[in-house]
Amino acid sequence: MRTSLVVANWKMNHTIEETLKFLTRFKKGFVNTSSVEIVICAPYTSLYSLSVAISDIVGIKLGAQNCHWEERGAYTGEVSPQFLRELNCSYVIVGHSERRLLFSETDEMVGKKVGAVLNHGMNPVLCIGETRKNRDEGKTWEVVSEQLAKGLLRVDSLSMEKVVIAYEPVWAIGTGLSATPPMAQEVHKLIRGWIKEEKGEGCAMTSRLLYGGSVSAQNFSSFIKQPDIDGALVGGASLEVDSFRQIVHDARVL
Ligand code: PGA
């Protein structure tokens, strides 16, 4: 049985003050359950305050949205996985499509980041997904499987249990046009099949696969009912307490 996972990707939103306000409201009435794990990936600037604020709450973990693959050095503006670990980060989003498209991250860089996150004892959330053009040209699986292979190049079967895969069709991110649940399930099933083939059956059974792309309080329950969808990577709907709370609530269905 895989524990459901809901990962909030706040992107470049929420000041420290807003972060703490969100948490105070979210904590009210929050009932922890072992059947769902919650991760909040806040901007770097809020991570320390958030880490302190959630230290007494079981069930909510800290995540970052990116990191460098080196531990330290002359990389102006970058953040080391070692520094994130020091802040008690448990998860790091790697290879988000906004990083790939707006900041020219390649599959090779993404693969190195996945390895570095694992080497520092954290869980990478590897994002993969096709563009509208890829889908229209019938190349969804070609693109997604290449991202998988290169992203997981340094991951052996033993480390695979720490890796989370987020399938996020690029055309669905922030557009309000989510994939349909069967459409997402189709790709998730292929991803699980790929993991079985490349990393072994045990890994395929335990790996958590998230759907992302315009997940909302209204549509999440139909995604989580799909057999190969174990949770969500949530952008816009994770910024508001009420919608995020609803999504977390619905994740308990699994
Ligand atoms: P969205 O973003 O939920 O706002 O579409 C998801 C993501 O980018 O991870």
PDB file of all heavy atoms in Angstrom, residues 7 23 104 111 119 144 149 184 206 226-227:
ATOM      1  N   VAL A   7       2.014  17.330  -2.642  1.00  0.00           N
ATOM      2  CA  VAL A   7       3.142  18.260  -2.599  1.00  0.00           C
ATOM      3  C   VAL A   7       2.680  19.627  -3.093  1.00  0.00           C
ATOM      4  O   VAL A   7       2.186  19.757  -4.215  1.00  0.00           O
ATOM      5  CB  VAL A   7       4.317  17.750  -3.468  1.00  0.00           C
ATOM      6  CG1 VAL A   7       5.499  18.717  -3.391  1.00  0.00           C
ATOM      7  CG2 VAL A   7       4.748  16.352  -3.051  1.00  0.00           C
ATOM      8  N   LEU A  23       0.244  28.864   7.415  1.00  0.00           N
ATOM      9  CA  LEU A  23       0.420  27.702   8.276  1.00  0.00           C
ATOM     10  C   LEU A  23      -0.466  27.763   9.514  1.00  0.00           C
ATOM     11  O   LEU A  23      -1.043  26.755   9.923  1.00  0.00           O
ATOM     12  CB  LEU A  23       1.886  27.581   8.679  1.00  0.00           C
ATOM     13  CG  LEU A  23       2.213  26.142   8.998  1.00  0.00           C
ATOM     14  CD1 LEU A  23       2.284  25.323   7.742  1.00  0.00           C
ATOM     15  CD2 LEU A  23       3.477  26.049   9.786  1.00  0.00           C
ATOM     16  N   SER A 104      16.498  26.871 -18.929  1.00  0.00           N
ATOM     17  CA  SER A 104      17.318  25.988 -19.787  1.00  0.00           C
ATOM     18  C   SER A 104      17.927  24.783 -19.081  1.00  0.00           C
ATOM     19  O   SER A 104      19.064  24.390 -19.378  1.00  0.00           O
ATOM     20  CB  SER A 104      18.454  26.789 -20.441  1.00  0.00           C
ATOM     21  OG  SER A 104      17.939  27.951 -21.027  1.00  0.00           O
ATOM     22  N   GLY A 111      19.302  14.955 -14.147  1.00  0.00           N
ATOM     23  CA  GLY A 111      19.825  13.668 -13.657  1.00  0.00           C
ATOM     24  C   GLY A 111      20.852  13.878 -12.552  1.00  0.00           C
ATOM     25  O   GLY A 111      20.864  13.161 -11.544  1.00  0.00           O
ATOM     26  N   ASN A 119      21.940  11.671  -2.612  1.00  0.00           N
ATOM     27  CA  ASN A 119      23.191  11.564  -1.846  1.00  0.00           C
ATOM     28  C   ASN A 119      23.130  12.319  -0.537  1.00  0.00           C
ATOM     29  O   ASN A 119      23.902  12.042   0.379  1.00  0.00           O
ATOM     30  CB  ASN A 119      24.374  12.112  -2.662  1.00  0.00           C
ATOM     31  CG  ASN A 119      24.770  11.134  -3.751  1.00  0.00           C
ATOM     32  OD1 ASN A 119      24.436   9.959  -3.674  1.00  0.00           O
ATOM     33  ND2 ASN A 119      25.439  11.630  -4.794  1.00  0.00           N
ATOM     34  N   VAL A 144       8.445  11.613 -22.528  1.00  0.00           N
ATOM     35  CA  VAL A 144       8.372  11.289 -21.098  1.00  0.00           C
ATOM     36  C   VAL A 144       9.366  10.165 -20.742  1.00  0.00           C
ATOM     37  O   VAL A 144      10.061  10.226 -19.719  1.00  0.00           O
ATOM     38  CB  VAL A 144       6.922  10.918 -20.724  1.00  0.00           C
ATOM     39  CG1 VAL A 144       6.841  10.274 -19.350  1.00  0.00           C
ATOM     40  CG2 VAL A 144       6.037  12.159 -20.761  1.00  0.00           C
ATOM     41  N   ALA A 149      14.413   8.193 -18.254  1.00  0.00           N
ATOM     42  CA  ALA A 149      15.683   7.471 -18.364  1.00  0.00           C
ATOM     43  C   ALA A 149      16.843   8.372 -17.961  1.00  0.00           C
ATOM     44  O   ALA A 149      17.727   7.956 -17.200  1.00  0.00           O
ATOM     45  CB  ALA A 149      15.868   6.961 -19.792  1.00  0.00           C
ATOM     46  N   ALA A 184      -4.329  10.985 -17.746  1.00  0.00           N
ATOM     47  CA  ALA A 184      -3.196  10.964 -16.813  1.00  0.00           C
ATOM     48  C   ALA A 184      -2.879   9.523 -16.415  1.00  0.00           C
ATOM     49  O   ALA A 184      -1.716   9.113 -16.401  1.00  0.00           O
ATOM     50  CB  ALA A 184      -3.517  11.805 -15.577  1.00  0.00           C
ATOM     51  N   THR A 206       6.278   0.146  -5.212  1.00  0.00           N
ATOM     52  CA  THR A 206       6.374   1.124  -4.119  1.00  0.00           C
ATOM     53  C   THR A 206       6.509   2.574  -4.580  1.00  0.00           C
ATOM     54  O   THR A 206       6.239   3.491  -3.806  1.00  0.00           O
ATOM     55  CB  THR A 206       7.572   0.794  -3.195  1.00  0.00           C
ATOM     56  OG1 THR A 206       8.731   0.686  -4.024  1.00  0.00           O
ATOM     57  CG2 THR A 206       7.370  -0.493  -2.428  1.00  0.00           C
ATOM     58  N   GLN A 226      -7.656   7.008  -9.602  1.00  0.00           N
ATOM     59  CA  GLN A 226      -6.992   6.212 -10.639  1.00  0.00           C
ATOM     60  C   GLN A 226      -5.955   5.291  -9.982  1.00  0.00           C
ATOM     61  O   GLN A 226      -5.246   5.707  -9.061  1.00  0.00           O
ATOM     62  CB  GLN A 226      -6.287   7.123 -11.659  1.00  0.00           C
ATOM     63  CG  GLN A 226      -7.184   8.164 -12.319  1.00  0.00           C
ATOM     64  CD  GLN A 226      -8.278   7.544 -13.160  1.00  0.00           C
ATOM     65  OE1 GLN A 226      -8.051   6.586 -13.886  1.00  0.00           O
ATOM     66  NE2 GLN A 226      -9.483   8.068 -13.045  1.00  0.00           N
ATOM     67  N   PRO A 227      -5.845   4.059 -10.474  1.00  0.00           N
ATOM     68  CA  PRO A 227      -4.986   3.085  -9.773  1.00  0.00           C
ATOM     69  C   PRO A 227      -3.508   3.451  -9.700  1.00  0.00           C
ATOM     70  O   PRO A 227      -2.824   3.056  -8.757  1.00  0.00           O
ATOM     71  CB  PRO A 227      -5.189   1.787 -10.574  1.00  0.00           C
ATOM     72  CG  PRO A 227      -5.833   2.191 -11.858  1.00  0.00           C
ATOM     73  CD  PRO A 227      -6.583   3.462 -11.589  1.00  0.00           C
TER      74      PRO A 227
END
